[in-house]
Amino acid sequence: MTRTDEELVAHAMAGDLDSFNQLVARWERPIYALAYRTLGRDEDARDVVQEAFLRAYRGLRGFKGQAKFSSWLYRITLNLCRDWIRRDRRTPLVHAPDGVDPIDLADAQVEPGESVEDLVARREMSRAVAAAMAELPEEQRTAILLKEYHGLTFQEIADTLHCPLSTVKTRLYQGLSVLRRRLERRQAEEASLRRATWEGTS
Amino acid sequence: MCNERERLIGYVYDDGDAAERRAIDRHLETCEECREEIAGLRRTRQDLLAWDVPDHDSVWRPFAPAQTPPWWRQVPAWAMAAAAGVMFAVGLAGGATAHALLGDRAAAMSAERHEPVDGRDRVVPAGYVSADQLTATERRILALMRDDLARVNRNVQIVSGRTGGLDETFDRALADRAALRAEIDRLQQQYMNAVDATNLTINELNDRARRLEVKTESTSAALSGLLSGGGGGR
């Protein structure tokens, strides 16, 4: 029978290392995704994941269970990412959408029924989203990450970020609105470029 | 509502109570601007799904349960050092004992002498040590080693609080050695039996050959007699 996070935490606190290993196996992927989308570098994200779980293990006794284990873990990860960015005095790195690398394409997972053109478009959109997200203020970016990619409720985000519910909604709305403008502008520019290319070749 | 668009965010995420949703639904029926705003936010949410995260192997090296170290790894370093010192002393004592036991023999072995060999008094050449001497010497060395080991065992027990087990190991080694010797004796006996059987066979063949030779000689003599007798009659 699958044990809940809280049960695994209780066993880990009693010294059962395997229970903590199970928690890591369960949450490593989401924690990596959060770190990667916050920092934009695979290597940095890996370091943060390792440090986050080590901190979680060391701090298990301080986890009182008033929040979900995952929320607690997200908070540790976000704090680490913030320290990481401040320490390196840089903004999250995002690769500019500078064309498509054929090697990337070879490695890419093609969804069932997806053409190569669709795959190229999806990867370009992925880069565009990453670039637009990187330019958002940190608090808006974090709220969107937790809502869109981790499915937290408004209240869970408020608990994780230690801010009022209304603030969470404001950050989400403002962040989404900025993203919308940037992505729509990009799409308009691409459409214009395609039109110009088509007219130039016809 | 157009001036407080943060209220729309719950609607975009299908969150909020039924009354709030009904109020927004009613507003959207008449407000083109807010309808477009909500549709735009939903499209943006759709675009966000394109942001992939690279696949990666686990970066976590799972915690392994602590291994219980063997008892001798739990002995403090100072105790191990003390035990090592005792062992060194035992080695020195063993060397001195062997020297004392074999020193006189070395002088005696330099010349031919009369000594009991296999229970009989015989003249033994220089450098020869009889099996009886070796057995007696071995017994004395083993007895001394056993005494020393008992002493080391007690010291190990004092410093580590555990039984050293050296005397048991020693006894096992001796038992193994005795078993090996018995096996060698058995094989030697087999070899000797085989040699004896071969010797018997050779002796028997020699007897037969001698008997055949005698027979041949007598036959030859008889034949010579017949030939000479017959030749005289002719």
Side-chain angles (χ1 to χ4, degrees), chain A residues 5-6 9-10 13 59-72 75:
Chain A
D5 286 350
E6 286 64 35
V9 167
M13 284 170 73
L60 268 184
R61 299 208 174 276
F63 174 64
K64 302 297 182 192
Q66 64 272 53
K68 283 165 63 177
F69 174 74
S70 55
S71 301
W72 183 62
R75 189 157 58 239

Side-chain angles (χ1 to χ4, degrees), chain B residues 186-204:
Chain B
R186 192 181 63 78
L187 291 171
Q188 274 181 340
Q189 192 58 50
Q190 270 187 356
Y191 169 74
M192 291 309 295
N193 290 344
V195 168
D196 287 348
T198 308
N199 285 340
L200 283 174
T201 307
I202 290 172
N203 290 338
E204 191 181 341

Side-chain angles (χ1 to χ4, degrees), chain B:
Chain B
M1 192 169 294
C2 298
N3 295 326
E4 42 178 342
R5 286 186 167 163
E6 281 79 358
R7 283 177 65 189
L8 296 181
I9 204 72
Y11 191 85
V12 169
Y13 283 103
D14 295 326
D15 191 89
D17 57 39
E20 173 75 355
R21 291 190 65 78
R22 276 197 300 275
I24 295 175
D25 280 337
R26 278 196 300 275
H27 174 74
L28 292 179
E29 284 173 8
T30 57
C31 182
E32 171 68 25
E33 194 179 352
C34 282
R35 273 208 305 276
E36 175 52 32
E37 180 74 3
I38 284 179
L41 292 176
R42 283 181 171 159
R43 279 197 303 274
T44 304
R45 288 195 64 203
Q46 196 65 31
D47 289 342
L48 292 181
L49 296 178
W51 192 8
D52 286 332
V53 169
D55 286 330
H56 73 289
D57 297 328
S58 175
V59 299
W60 184 251
R61 183 176 296 176
F63 289 136
Q67 300 285 326
T68 306
W71 69 265
W72 52 270
R73 292 292 296 273
Q74 298 173 29
V75 176
W78 62 268
M80 296 291 277
V86 171
M87 291 298 287
F88 180 69
V90 168
L92 282 180
T97 306
H99 181 75
L101 287 169
L102 297 174
D104 294 343
R105 301 284 178 198
M109 281 159 53
S110 61
E112 188 177 281
R113 62 200 184 275
H114 285 267
E115 281 190 5
V117 176
D118 297 334
R120 282 177 291 179
D121 186 55
R122 288 190 179 178
V123 176
V124 292
Y128 180 84
V129 179
S130 71
D132 291 344
Q133 288 172 342
L134 278 176
T135 305
T137 305
E138 187 183 48
R139 279 203 200 98
R140 293 171 67 187
I141 290 175
L142 287 177
L144 287 168
M145 285 176 74
R146 196 183 293 279
D147 288 347
D148 286 339
L149 279 174
R151 219 169 18 250
V152 172
N153 220 24
R154 277 196 300 278
N155 289 332
V156 170
Q157 195 165 6
I158 288 166
V159 297
S160 71
R162 291 170 182 271
T163 305
L166 294 174
D167 42 359
E168 289 89 342
T169 307
F170 186 67
D171 286 342
R172 274 201 302 277
L174 285 182
D176 290 347
R177 189 166 167 273
L180 187 63
R181 175 168 285 175
E183 179 65 11
I184 290 171
D185 288 347
R186 192 181 63 78
L187 291 171
Q188 274 181 340
Q189 192 58 50
Q190 270 187 356
Y191 169 74
M192 291 309 295
N193 290 344
V195 168
D196 287 348
T198 308
N199 285 340
L200 283 174
T201 307
I202 290 172
N203 290 338
E204 191 181 341
L205 287 173
N206 283 338
D207 284 348
R208 281 188 190 175
R210 269 195 298 277
R211 282 198 298 275
L212 193 59
E213 195 176 359
V214 169
K215 208 174 192 175
T216 305
E217 283 174 0
S218 63
T219 306
S220 297
L223 191 59
S224 298
L226 282 173
L227 286 175
S228 60
R234 212 182 286 175

Side-chain angles (χ1 to χ4, degrees), chain A residues 38-119:
Chain A
T38 302
L39 299 174
R41 284 183 175 88
D42 172 66
E43 197 177 331
D44 292 350
R46 286 166 176 266
D47 288 344
V48 164
V49 168
Q50 202 157 31
E51 184 61 27
F53 283 113
L54 282 173
R55 280 199 188 184
Y57 182 74
R58 285 197 293 262
L60 268 184
R61 299 208 174 276
F63 174 64
K64 302 297 182 192
Q66 64 272 53
K68 283 165 63 177
F69 174 74
S70 55
S71 301
W72 183 62
L73 208 50
Y74 284 139
R75 189 157 58 239
I76 291 173
T77 308
L78 288 169
N79 286 338
L80 280 170
C81 288
R82 189 177 299 132
D83 293 346
W84 206 271
I85 291 168
R86 282 179 186 159
R87 194 190 63 195
D88 288 5
R89 291 179 185 168
R90 57 180 167 75
T91 53
L93 174 85
V94 174
H95 298 288
D98 51 356
V100 179
D101 186 341
I103 296 173
D104 281 356
L105 277 180
D107 292 340
Q109 290 281 326
V110 181
E111 302 287 341
E114 187 178 40
S115 67
V116 174
E117 289 76 14
D118 291 341
L119 174 64

